[in-house]
Amino acid sequence: MPSNDVRILAQAAVPTAAVGAIAAVVSAVVAGGKGAIGAVVATVVVILFMGLGLYVLQRTAKSLPQLFQAMGLMLYAAQILLLFIFMAAFKNTTLFNPRAFAVSLVAGTLAWIAAQTRAHMKAKVLYVEPDSTSSATGDKPEKTGHSS
């Protein structure tokens, strides 16, 4: 991944992990050890799902830039759907507290989206890639118009 992509990933994952840690402490106080386990599992799931989604989106942007916006919308819809399916699959589990899991999953997802949005807004990304072939070969751009 290019350094800008890694920076955006880190700027989204770190706040999400912090929200997950807070959720784990609150869940441990409210629901005990199983609540803390549920919050930790939810945080890991959010970071994995959203991180993988960011990776797929960045690869799509590089290879098929014309599909970037549509892919982004489809990807976010698919991620939210997968998170709801994951919540439904574990709603009656005894491995961890399902309520702490669900609340932590929603909080982590919202934290990720907010942090990723902030990271993209602060990123200095070129909208137009400079043409590297003309500068590498020493070609000068053609002059058009009147010469002075």
Side-chain angles (χ1 to χ4, degrees):
M1 282 179 113
S3 64
N4 193 41
D5 299 340
V6 172
R7 189 176 314 117
I8 290 173
L9 179 66
Q11 289 176 348
V14 170
T16 304
V19 167
I22 292 168
V25 170
V26 170
S27 296
V29 169
V30 172
K34 288 194 176 201
I37 293 170
V40 169
V41 169
T43 303
V44 169
V45 166
V46 168
I47 290 173
L48 286 177
F49 277 26
M50 297 301 200
L52 183 62
L54 181 63
Y55 175 74
V56 168
L57 193 59
Q58 294 300 333
R59 290 202 34 116
T60 301
K62 301 278 189 274
S63 61
L64 301 166
Q66 69 274 14
L67 295 178
F68 181 70
Q69 186 175 14
M71 184 67 169
L73 292 172
M74 185 190 76
L75 184 66
Y76 283 126
Q79 285 174 331
I80 298 300
L81 180 65
L82 284 172
L83 289 173
F84 279 126
I85 290 170
F86 204 88
M87 281 176 38
F90 286 98
K91 78 177 181 181
N92 293 325
T93 187
T94 58
L95 298 172
F96 48 78
N97 186 309
R99 183 163 291 170
F101 172 76
V103 170
S104 300
L105 195 68
V106 170
T109 301
L110 292 175
W112 180 282
I113 291 170
Q116 185 179 357
T117 301
R118 183 178 183 276
H120 276 295
M121 289 176 67
K122 292 185 69 116
K124 305 246 189 278
V125 179
L126 293 173
Y127 290 98
V128 178
E129 297 275 338
D131 187 20
S132 62
T133 58
S134 65
S135 63
T137 58
D139 295 340
K140 294 182 182 177
E142 294 182 17
K143 290 185 181 179
T144 57
H146 297 71
S147 60
S148 37

